[in-house]
Amino acid sequence: MKRFAWGLGTLAVATTVALTTAGRLTLKQLGVSGAEGVFPGWYPLHGLVRWDSGWYANIAENGYHYTPGVESPVAFFPVYPLTVRFVAWALSVHPYLAGVLVSAVCGVLAVVLFQRWADTQLPPPTARSATLLLVCSPYAFFLFGVMYSESLFLCLVLGAFLALEHERPWLAALLGALAT
C-alpha cells in the first residue's frame, strides 16, 4: 500500500511538471510570471509559479506589509510562506524554487497520508481507489509542485486526522491550528 501511494505521488509530480511545461510553451498569452524575470528559459518553473505564487514569494522574502488603498499580502495565511522562507534559506535558493519544492514534497506526502487515513476508514480496494481519485481529480494539479499552499494544508489536515485516529489529540490540535 505504501509503495502504491508513493508511486502515485511521484507520478503526479512528474505529470504536473510535464503538463506545465507543455502549457507554458504553448500558451504564452497568459502573460508574464515573476519567474520569467528570475529564471529565463526555465519553462516548467514558469508554469508552476503564477498569480498568487508571487504573493507567497514576496511574503517569504519581505514578510507582511499593508498600505491602505494598495493590494497587499495580508490575506494569505502565514504557514506556507514561512515554510517557503525556511526552505529557501536552508537550501540557499530563490523562494520560487523553494515554493515548488515545498509544494511537490507536501503533495507526495499528502497522497501517502491520505492513503494511510483511508486505510483506517475503508477496505483496501476502496482505499486504493479513493487515493487514485485524489491524485486524478482536476484540482490535484495544485498539490504537485504548483507554488500554492493547498498541498501543505492537505498534509496538515490529514496529519490531524491521523493523529486523532491514533488518539493523539494534542498533536491533532497543533496540526489543525497550523492548517488554519
Side-chain angles (χ1 to χ4, degrees), residues 39 84-95 97-98 101:
F39 300 100
V84 169
R85 174 183 270 187
F86 174 76
V87 171
W89 170 80
L91 300 178
S92 296
V93 296
H94 191 277
L97 291 176
L101 182 63

Side-chain angles (χ1 to χ4, degrees), residues 34-70:
E36 289 156 354
V38 180
F39 300 100
W42 288 35
Y43 296 114
L45 184 65
H46 298 177
L48 295 171
V49 293
R50 299 191 96 35
W51 296 290
D52 287 347
S53 300
W55 287 110
Y56 287 122
N58 183 19
I59 296 166
E61 284 183 310
N62 307 311
Y64 287 91
H65 57 84
Y66 177 72
T67 305
V70 177

Side-chain angles (χ1 to χ4, degrees), residues 20 58 67 72 108 146 158 178:
T20 333
N58 183 19
T67 305
S72 62
V108 172
V146 176
L158 289 168
L178 288 173

